[in-house]
Amino acid sequence: MAIITELRVNGKKLALHADAEASLLSVLRDQLDLTGAKYGCGEGQCGACTVLVDGVATRSCIKPVGEVASKEITTIEGLEKNGKLHPLQEAFLEVGAMQCGYCTCGMILSGVALLEKNADPSVNDIVRSMDGNICRCGTYARIIAALLKAAKTMKEGK
Ligand code: FES
Ligand code: FES
């Protein structure tokens, strides 16, 4: 059985001891104490566990940690830079794009991946791209508003 002993997460090399087949989500939460990514469906269907792997939004519940051992992983805990939240985190707070918050970290990371690819997304682009992230509280309208706001902020270079 292959064992993974190191992972690059949020710009740091972190030591761990995990079976290569273990899910990235379980390693992040149970070994590295990074609990922002949430366990929802456990089947790649809800997006609550989304993190970035080399900048790509990835369902960590179905991603074996062995497949990402040489990659750069970003979780919600690593989005803030020099004490400043990412513009999309700020926008979520400003428009109140969450109720229970269970989906929020996954939504934000999927949104960050979208904004990296498309700096000026339309509402349709957002809906299409975020379709796999489910919010049981139904805050979709505010999530879209937050994405539009963050895109504007980022374009203005704030
Ligand atoms: S918990 Fe991973 S997609 Fe639902
Ligand atoms: S805010 Fe509750 S699931 Fe989205």
Side-chain angles (χ1 to χ4, degrees):
M1 176 196 308
I3 297 294
I4 303 301
T5 57
E6 190 177 86
L7 219 47
R8 279 173 26 219
V9 185
N10 300 331
K12 293 187 199 132
K13 287 187 180 174
L14 302 179
L16 59 129
H17 186 90
D19 179 341
E21 294 302 315
S23 75
L24 173 58
L25 179 63
S26 66
V27 170
L28 290 172
R29 292 183 58 85
D30 302 339
Q31 291 208 33
L32 302 178
D33 214 18
L34 294 167
T35 55
K38 299 288 187 282
Y39 185 96
C41 63
E43 297 178 350
Q45 300 294 322
C46 75
C49 64
T50 304
V51 299
L52 302 182
V53 176
D54 284 347
V56 177
T58 300
R59 305 297 191 236
S60 62
C61 68
I62 52 169
K63 178 59 75 179
V65 70
E67 286 183 21
V68 299
S70 61
K71 308 205 169 172
E72 181 62 45
I73 295 150
T74 305
T75 69
I76 194 78
E77 290 87 352
L79 272 192
E80 161 256 305
K81 294 276 176 278
N82 303 321
K84 208 168 172 325
L85 292 178
H86 187 283
L88 187 55
Q89 290 176 297
E90 289 285 4
F92 263 67
L93 289 171
E94 282 165 24
V95 307
M98 75 281 284
Q99 286 188 36
C100 76
Y102 204 80
C103 70
T104 306
C105 296
M107 285 286 180
I108 288 176
L109 286 159
S110 288
V112 167
L114 166 62
L115 293 173
E116 288 296 323
K117 278 193 308 218
N118 180 354
D120 192 16
S122 66
V123 169
N124 276 345
D125 294 336
I126 294 169
V127 169
R128 252 198 315 270
S129 175
M130 305 284 287
D131 196 36
N133 285 75
I134 293 169
C135 174
R136 283 168 218 193
C137 301
T139 58
Y140 296 111
R142 289 186 182 196
I143 290 166
I144 292 167
L147 263 292
L148 293 171
K149 187 174 177 54
K152 186 164 181 284
T153 305
M154 290 166 77
K155 256 194 311 196
E156 290 166 356
K158 286 184 195 159

